[in-house]
Amino acid sequence: MTGNLFDCTGKVAVITGGNGGLGLGFARGIARVGGDIEIWGRNAEKNAAARAELEALGVKVRTRVVDVADEAAVIAGFEATMADWGRIDTVIANSGIAPQAPSTLGMTAQLWHDLLATNMHGAFYTLREGARHMVARAQGGEPGGSLIFCGSLSMFHGLPGLGNYAAAKAGIAALVRSMAAEFGPYRIRANVIAPGMVQTGMGGEQGGPIDRHFSAHTPIPRVGSPVDFEGIAAYLASDASSFHTGDTLVIDGGSLIYPPYHFGSDIRGG
């Protein structure tokens, strides 16, 4: 008997955008507890590098070039995944693109739709098709599964110029709650992970002004890293979370609870 509460041996996780940043952090967490991994990403070279890193942890890994904004590609991707593995236990909809609009007034219809095509519609296709295969397995006598969406604090904060990004995150978070209710009878759970500021190489240099700003305004005074998300991915992929569904798990060092009128040591006498 394993002594690992989060043991994922024999489980298969599909992670979109899993070849770097948070997605690779999620993948590492599941691999560290024995789960096999399938990475979906558009960059074949990054996919190959992620595969090599994960295989070094002793699990089986496959990669697939899939553009989640293409519904047909997502459907075909899951069919190929089932043909290769025979099962899907966890799906993490993590793929997304950064917002490009300078402001709400400067957000053209093209900018609005381009982002939603990946961040919202792509996440929907991914979670829907993953659920479809999990439901079929449940109907065959083996219930269970975990659907996970990578959200953000933009679901809670008002962020100028990021309306399309926030709308996509908040919209899929609402979808996840609906999925939790709909698929619960099949023992399929659905949850959102909402990261705070995470250093993935896309937000400026490590230790630079952006990092320093967020570190100064976060109760745990640093920015996050993909390593901080390995544990939550392992938990949600494992049977340890079998009664946990419809939730949004905020992993942000406490920044969401820090009010803008916080005065720090000035009012504590420190």
Side-chain angles (χ1 to χ4, degrees):
M1 177 182 292
T2 178
N4 189 340
L5 182 63
F6 296 168
D7 181 44
C8 287
T9 303
K11 296 183 184 295
V12 175
V14 176
I15 303 164
T16 69
N19 58 16
L22 277 172
L24 185 54
F26 296 145
R28 278 197 304 267
I30 296 171
R32 288 188 192 280
V33 292
D36 295 324
I37 304 292
E38 175 154 314
I39 295 295
W40 287 13
R42 294 185 295 180
N43 186 314
E45 290 185 4
K46 287 183 66 177
N47 287 353
R51 177 175 183 172
E53 178 179 338
L54 295 169
E55 285 180 332
L57 297 175
V59 298
K60 298 175 183 176
V61 183
R62 293 181 183 271
T63 67
R64 203 172 303 279
V65 175
V66 179
D67 180 357
V68 299
D70 182 342
E71 181 181 15
V74 172
I75 294 171
F78 274 108
E79 290 175 349
T81 299
M82 285 297 297
D84 287 343
W85 296 99
R87 64 184 299 115
I88 299 167
D89 298 278
T90 296
V91 172
I92 303 181
N94 170 71
S95 288
I97 61 175
Q100 302 294 326
S103 66
T104 299
L105 298 182
M107 189 180 297
T108 64
Q110 188 70 46
L111 287 171
W112 174 268
H113 288 292
D114 283 351
L115 184 139
L116 263 61
T118 296
N119 294 23
M120 177 175 261
H121 306 324
F124 164 62
Y125 304 146
T126 299
L127 295 170
R128 182 195 66 190
E129 293 306 305
R132 191 185 306 281
H133 291 285
M134 292 176 186
V135 168
R137 177 161 52 79
Q139 291 172 333
E142 188 184 352
S146 182
L147 302 168
I148 303 167
F149 173 62
C150 184
S152 86
L153 296 190
S154 67
M155 297 186 301
F156 312 108
H157 291 161
L159 301 173
L162 301 184
N164 53 353
Y165 185 83
K169 295 296 188 181
I172 296 299
L175 169 69
V176 165
R177 292 189 290 274
S178 295
M179 292 181 126
E182 183 172 349
F183 300 130
Y186 301 103
R187 303 299 187 265
I188 298 166
R189 56 219 187 263
N191 292 286
V192 178
I193 298 172
M197 176 61 184
V198 179
Q199 180 54 256
T200 62
M202 297 178 63
E205 64 175 313
Q206 188 168 4
I210 294 178
D211 280 16
R212 292 194 297 272
H213 170 79
F214 280 94
S215 296
H217 296 86
T218 302
I220 296 176
R222 64 174 178 85
V223 298
S225 76
V227 172
D228 294 314
F229 293 82
E230 293 180 11
I232 194 64
Y235 165 68
L236 289 176
S238 75
D239 292 341
S241 63
S242 62
F243 200 55
H244 193 165
T245 196
D247 197 7
T248 296
L249 296 94
V250 177
I251 312 294
D252 69 344
S255 61
L256 185 62
I257 64 168
Y258 239 21
Y261 44 82
H262 168 74
F263 295 103
S265 60
D266 293 344
I267 60 173
R268 294 194 303 262

